Amino acid sequence: MSHIAVERNRRRQMNEHLKVLRSLTPCFYIKRGDQASIIGGVIEFIKELHQVLQALESKKRRKSLSPSPGPSPSPRPLQLITLQPDHHTPFGQENVKELTACCNSSVADVEAKISGSNVILKVISKRIPGQTVRIINVLERLSFEVLHLNISSMEDTVLYSFVVKIGLECRLSVEELALEVQQSFFPETYYTNET
């Protein structure tokens, strides 16, 4: 077999593998059809699946360590972690490429990351009826527009992935956004803030 035929066969196999990867990955992750975009999208999707797997493994460990199936624990106080760099800078006024804030509790883990003029918001929680609507209400009240929503679930764990557009009226830091979304999981806090 000539070198040209071998190279043609290799390219054909690569294109077939890329088609399979693209078909297995939700379209939201792949913005363009070139090879780099496909591979980058697949990497992001695998990272997200890895987060879901870690959350499920953590939940499984907590269940195996709990002595008896008693009443559900009361929510821990909110814990804010990882923020870079200045968490008091309002959206749209950052001088850095990426800001990330995480807000975790026993009920839900929230991560907000700025990507250009949009925010990527990921929330992992147990399944709560009506929670999607509560999160969307919080986002709209804070001058964000939901561009995309992807919901993945396994048993009673749910991963919400939002892409939201930052409104011109928004004067919120990425940390404050994560905290507001986190508070929507505590109805008594959420409704208190609404009034």
Side-chain angles (χ1 to χ4, degrees):
M1 201 182 257
S2 73
H3 175 70
I4 294 172
V6 169
E7 181 61 23
R8 185 180 300 130
N9 188 40
R10 185 195 65 76
R11 271 189 265 128
R12 183 185 53 77
Q13 285 181 334
M14 182 68 96
N15 287 334
E16 287 175 9
H17 291 314
L18 286 168
K19 283 180 188 175
V20 171
L21 283 174
R22 189 172 189 171
S23 70
L24 293 173
T25 306
C27 62
F28 162 72
Y29 294 92
I30 301 174
K31 295 177 175 64
R32 294 185 309 274
D34 61 286
Q35 293 179 354
S37 295
I38 293 170
I39 292 170
V42 170
I43 290 169
E44 287 302 311
F45 183 54
I46 290 171
K47 285 179 182 177
E48 193 165 295
L49 291 175
H50 185 67
Q51 287 178 341
V52 172
L53 178 64
Q54 286 179 328
L56 291 172
E57 287 173 346
S58 174
K59 180 180 175 183
K60 184 178 177 182
R61 278 194 300 274
R62 284 194 305 264
K63 279 187 175 180
S64 68
L65 294 176
S66 64
S68 64
S72 61
S74 60
R76 297 190 315 236
L78 298 177
Q79 176 185 16
L80 296 173
I81 59 169
T82 65
L83 179 69
Q84 309 125 7
D86 176 13
H87 65 278
H88 293 295
T89 305
F91 284 121
Q93 297 178 5
E94 301 83 6
N95 294 324
V96 293
K97 275 191 163 181
E98 185 174 288
L99 288 175
T100 302
C102 295
C103 188
N104 300 328
S105 75
S106 61
V107 177
D109 295 341
V110 178
E111 178 187 277
K113 179 168 47 173
I114 295 179
S115 176
S117 63
N118 298 332
V119 175
I120 298 171
L121 181 67
K122 294 181 183 177
V123 182
I124 297 177
S125 71
K126 65 179 184 172
R127 187 185 311 269
I128 301 172
Q131 187 59 42
T132 307
V133 174
R134 282 194 288 276
I135 294 172
I136 291 172
N137 285 340
V138 166
L139 294 172
E140 289 177 346
R141 178 173 53 86
L142 298 171
S143 300
F144 291 94
E145 177 186 345
V146 177
L147 299 176
H148 180 82
L149 168 59
N150 183 35
I151 302 174
S152 306
S153 65
M154 184 176 287
E155 295 177 9
D156 66 339
T157 301
V158 181
L159 170 65
Y160 304 94
S161 297
F162 290 88
V163 175
V164 294
K165 184 175 182 178
I166 303 168
L168 294 174
E169 306 82 31
C170 184
R171 294 290 174 250
L172 213 60
S173 70
V174 69
E175 178 184 47
E176 291 166 333
L177 171 63
L179 182 60
E180 288 280 343
V181 171
Q182 177 68 255
Q183 288 178 344
S184 74
F185 283 86
F186 302 97
E188 62 282 352
T189 307
Y190 174 70
Y191 291 116
T192 304
N193 290 345
E194 279 285 291
T195 56

